[in-house]
Amino acid sequence: VAVLHFWDSMAPKIDTTFLREILDSIQRVHPIAKASIENIPTSVDGLTPFELASKFDSLTLDTRWACMYDELERFAEVLPKIVNIHLRARLLEQEWVFDSPDWTLEEVVNLIRKTWGYSGLVTVEPEGGYHNSTVEDIVVATKALRMLLGYPRPSGRLRFFS
């Protein structure tokens, strides 16, 4: 999946027909890769990130933006289009923490996995980097997140590189 931030967040107008033509040409040149549009902010009057992103056929749901715009639950409407979900979280010691006044990481995971039944690709997008974190912190936090997501326990050691 190639995640595209597909429009200028500050542009007052966005030509979705033109963007769709660009996306189609990208897919023709790179048919193996799935180009996915992320719900990044927009400055277009009357359009929210959800409304703009949902005009496309393949979406990456960025949970931070969806929560910031109070649109997370709306993504259930376009669930078949979602090919990737970014869990935007920061690493606090040995735990991934979701920065939202309205949602915890566990609530977001329960929504996407249990309520929606989403079983596709889920990626962690570290908010603000790894500031003073150790590899052990990352491994412990990631193992806990895997369990929360309902992934089977990895056999052997958790590997980051092959």
Side-chain angles (χ1 to χ4, degrees):
V1 174
V3 179
L4 304 176
H5 292 195
F6 211 42
W7 53 83
D8 177 352
S9 293
M10 301 308 292
K13 291 169 65 175
I14 295 172
D15 184 348
T16 56
T17 302
F18 175 69
L19 291 177
R20 191 176 320 280
E21 290 170 5
I22 292 171
L23 185 62
D24 289 345
S25 69
I26 291 170
Q27 286 293 177
R28 278 193 302 276
V29 174
H30 304 285
I32 295 173
K34 176 60 108 178
S36 174
I37 308 305
E38 185 174 317
N39 57 306
I40 62 172
T42 176
S43 298
V44 177
D45 283 340
L47 277 182
T48 67
F50 169 82
E51 292 164 338
L52 191 52
S54 64
K55 293 178 183 284
F56 297 91
D57 296 329
S58 182
L59 305 177
T60 288
L61 164 57
D62 185 302
T63 54
R64 179 183 73 163
W65 296 128
C67 289
M68 186 179 293
Y69 285 84
D70 196 24
E71 296 185 307
L72 182 60
E73 293 171 298
R74 290 191 69 190
F75 279 87
E77 300 169 27
V78 294
L79 188 60
K81 294 181 174 189
I82 297 174
V83 297
N84 180 29
I85 294 180
H86 281 330
L87 292 177
R88 194 70 92 83
R90 66 185 164 82
L91 190 59
L92 181 63
E93 296 175 5
Q94 295 187 337
E95 182 180 4
W96 290 110
V97 177
F98 194 68
D99 284 327
S100 168
D102 301 314
W103 294 87
T104 66
L105 185 62
E106 186 171 354
E107 290 170 333
V108 171
V109 168
N110 285 336
L111 177 72
I112 66 174
R113 287 295 209 216
K114 293 179 180 169
T115 304
W116 295 353
Y118 177 80
S119 61
L121 184 63
V122 176
T123 55
V124 176
E125 190 167 358
E127 186 73 41
Y130 294 109
H131 304 284
N132 302 318
S133 298
T134 66
V135 171
E136 181 67 20
D137 293 339
I138 297 166
V139 169
V140 170
T142 302
K143 282 182 177 180
L145 180 57
R146 282 181 57 85
M147 296 303 289
L148 181 61
L149 286 164
Y151 289 124
R153 183 176 293 274
S155 58
R157 299 178 64 148
L158 183 61
R159 294 186 192 149
F160 288 98
F161 305 100
S162 49

